[in-house]
Amino acid sequence: ILNNKNNKNIYYIVMDGAISLNVYNDRIKKINLTKIISDFKKDNFIYIHDVNSSYTNTATTLAQIINLSYFKDKNNLQNWTRKEKFGEIFRYFNESPLGKALDDINYDFFWLGNSVIHCGSYNVSLCFSTERGLKGFLRTLSLNNKTNVIRTNYVLTNFLQKTPFLDFTNKYFFLGKSGRELALFENDAVKNYVKISRSLPKNEKNHFIFIHAFMPTVYFLPLYNPLAFNEDCTMRIYPKNEIKDFHRKSITDPSWRTYELKRSLYEKNYLCMLKRVKEFIKFVNISDPDAMVVFQADHGSQNAPELTDNYGNRLDKIFTLIKISNECEDHLLNKIDNINAIRLLLSCATDTKFKFLEE
């Protein structure tokens, strides 16, 4: 691999909570599936139908792609330690299977996160240069960041949910319009990468870019203050009187908060996501045409309400869009979940044999 002059750059892009196109079309809003998939194909991207997520939540799925394997049984997640979860696992990235593999083949790794979990909180060495220095230092001091660090500690979070602490810190940070806009700006990570990509080091090393966009997941801080995108990706920020109305309704009718509100917000967030995907495809096909690219959700319908099958089970069919070399296309089965997608990217980018893992 080290002697191969044709190694390709790798992009793994997480679209948080993105259900499959089919499920969105059937359960949320009708879209022109044929045209969308055909347009992807014209740009050398292949949409994969009926892919299931490796695990059912962000903390486990994204941690296990760093391990490159099914390190944990998805049916028995009680024995996880904090170190093993995303994003805590990034503190030990150099010790992880993915970190060691990239070091062995001389690839740089960069992580662009969102307002909830980002490189500055866990491992600044993985940040782009624009995310380091004074900007990164100030982020670590922010109240929002302290709250997010607490949220990634699931034991502590479960305790604090019984107290007013999280509500208080959320309200305090998001009192100003600028704070809400900043959160949405950082959640739009795909667009942000296009802006900062010129900060990549100019050397002969290939790179692995890990982008975690916090869309189409609906962002609530606090719960009755929805921060979301419009269909055209403009920021959807509500005036205070509407937020108060959301609060009133969420107290008197909790089902309204979890279904009626989330459904309409998720619908538009998803369409914004498709817009960003198309923009990135145009960008990467010009700037890095030989790159291996995967767009994939970390889980399915966790944030898209009432998306269950006829037996009441959650649908975890996830959005999966891939660009790889022609030689690798035979591996594009509907079992290319998160873990196998990462493994496929590494193999195809370095022209090595792909080993598919069964769960």
Side-chain angles (χ1 to χ4, degrees):
I1 293 175
L2 291 174
N3 293 329
N4 185 1
K5 302 299 182 182
N6 296 315
N7 291 333
K8 310 295 191 302
N9 293 324
I10 298 171
Y11 298 82
Y12 187 81
I13 305 170
V14 180
M15 307 309 295
D16 200 285
I19 54 179
S20 69
L21 288 171
N22 310 62
V23 175
Y24 182 87
N25 183 67
D26 293 341
R27 301 297 186 94
I28 299 292
K29 184 178 181 178
K30 293 296 181 183
I31 51 178
N32 192 336
L33 284 176
T34 302
K35 184 179 187 307
I36 291 172
I37 295 172
S38 175
D39 287 346
F40 287 151
K41 190 173 182 179
K42 289 177 184 177
D43 289 320
N44 299 315
F45 277 75
I46 300 173
Y47 181 77
I48 312 298
H49 293 277
D50 298 325
V51 175
N52 285 312
S53 56
S54 298
Y55 294 84
T56 58
N57 61 75
T58 303
T60 49
T61 296
L62 298 190
Q64 293 318 292
I65 66 174
I66 305 303
N67 285 321
L68 300 177
S69 65
Y70 300 97
F71 185 65
K72 291 286 187 176
D73 180 358
K74 68 166 57 178
N75 298 314
N76 183 22
L77 303 179
Q78 302 305 313
N79 61 338
W80 283 61
T81 66
R82 183 184 178 192
K83 178 180 177 180
E84 294 171 330
K85 293 183 178 180
F86 180 82
E88 191 71 22
I89 194 172
F90 274 111
R91 296 190 193 277
Y92 316 94
F93 181 76
N94 291 339
E95 304 170 21
S96 70
L98 178 59
K100 290 179 179 178
L102 293 177
D103 184 57
D104 286 344
I105 61 177
N106 202 29
Y107 269 66
D108 281 328
F109 180 88
F110 297 95
W111 169 23
L112 183 61
N114 48 66
S115 67
V116 179
I117 298 181
H118 51 83
C119 60
S121 297
Y122 296 94
N123 191 339
V124 71
S125 69
L126 306 179
C127 297
F128 291 90
S129 59
T130 53
E131 297 290 300
R132 301 179 186 180
L134 179 61
K135 180 181 178 182
F137 176 71
L138 292 175
R139 287 184 66 168
T140 62
L141 296 179
S142 73
L143 180 58
N144 187 48
N145 184 67
K146 298 302 182 189
T147 304
N148 290 335
V149 171
I150 289 172
R151 286 176 181 277
T152 60
N153 184 327
Y154 290 85
V155 175
L156 185 56
T157 298
N158 287 334
F159 169 74
L160 290 175
Q161 282 176 344
K162 302 173 184 178
T163 75
F165 177 81
L166 294 180
D167 261 351
F168 173 78
T169 54
N170 291 336
K171 289 181 183 181
Y172 181 84
F173 183 78
F174 285 96
L175 282 176
K177 181 179 179 181
S178 60
R180 297 195 296 272
E181 288 180 335
L182 176 62
L184 282 173
F185 170 80
E186 293 185 342
N187 292 344
D188 199 356
V190 173
K191 178 182 178 181
N192 293 339
Y193 172 76
V194 173
K195 288 184 176 180
I196 69 175
S197 60
R198 57 182 173 271
S199 69
L200 284 169
K202 306 299 181 184
N203 57 34
E204 296 182 359
K205 293 181 70 173
N206 290 101
H207 53 252
F208 187 119
I209 307 296
F210 180 83
I211 302 171
H212 184 190
F214 209 65
M215 68 164 68
T217 290
V218 180
Y219 190 45
F220 286 89
L221 275 178
L223 189 60
Y224 51 84
N225 184 350
L227 307 179
F229 297 93
N230 293 309
E231 182 176 336
D232 63 357
C233 291
T234 55
M235 296 178 182
R236 190 174 185 181
I237 300 176
Y238 295 88
K240 290 183 178 180
N241 62 320
E242 288 191 40
I243 292 173
K244 289 181 179 179
D245 190 45
F246 292 154
H247 187 199
R248 178 183 58 78
K249 289 180 179 179
S250 68
I251 292 175
T252 58
D253 184 7
S255 65
W256 177 89
R257 179 182 66 203
T258 57
Y259 181 68
E260 295 299 335
L261 178 60
K262 273 191 174 183
R263 183 185 178 92
S264 62
L265 294 175
Y266 186 87
E267 172 191 317
K268 293 177 174 59
N269 275 7
Y270 195 95
L271 295 176
C272 169
M273 177 201 77
L274 292 179
K275 181 177 186 295
R276 291 293 187 243
V277 168
K278 292 174 185 177
E279 291 170 352
F280 187 88
I281 287 174
K282 182 178 180 181
F283 163 78
V284 79
N285 279 347
I286 294 173
S287 65
D288 199 355
D290 296 325
M292 306 288 107
V293 185
V294 169
F295 287 92
Q296 195 164 50
D298 48 349
H299 51 74
S301 59
Q302 183 175 6
N303 297 102
E306 294 194 0
L307 297 181
T308 57
D309 61 22
N310 294 332
Y311 303 97
N313 299 313
R314 244 184 56 193
L315 291 170
D316 270 313
K317 304 297 182 185
I318 58 175
F319 182 90
T320 300
L321 183 67
I322 299 180
K323 179 185 179 183
I324 57 173
S325 57
N326 295 334
E327 295 78 10
C328 290
E329 287 187 4
D330 289 344
H331 298 298
L332 296 183
L333 309 172
N334 60 7
K335 290 185 178 181
I336 296 296
D337 62 349
N338 308 89
I339 290 171
N340 281 300
I342 287 283
R343 296 172 63 87
L344 181 63
L345 280 177
L346 288 169
S347 297
C348 294
T350 57
D351 194 26
T352 52
K353 186 177 180 180
F354 170 59
K355 183 180 179 181
F356 179 85
L357 288 188
E358 297 285 352
E359 289 188 42

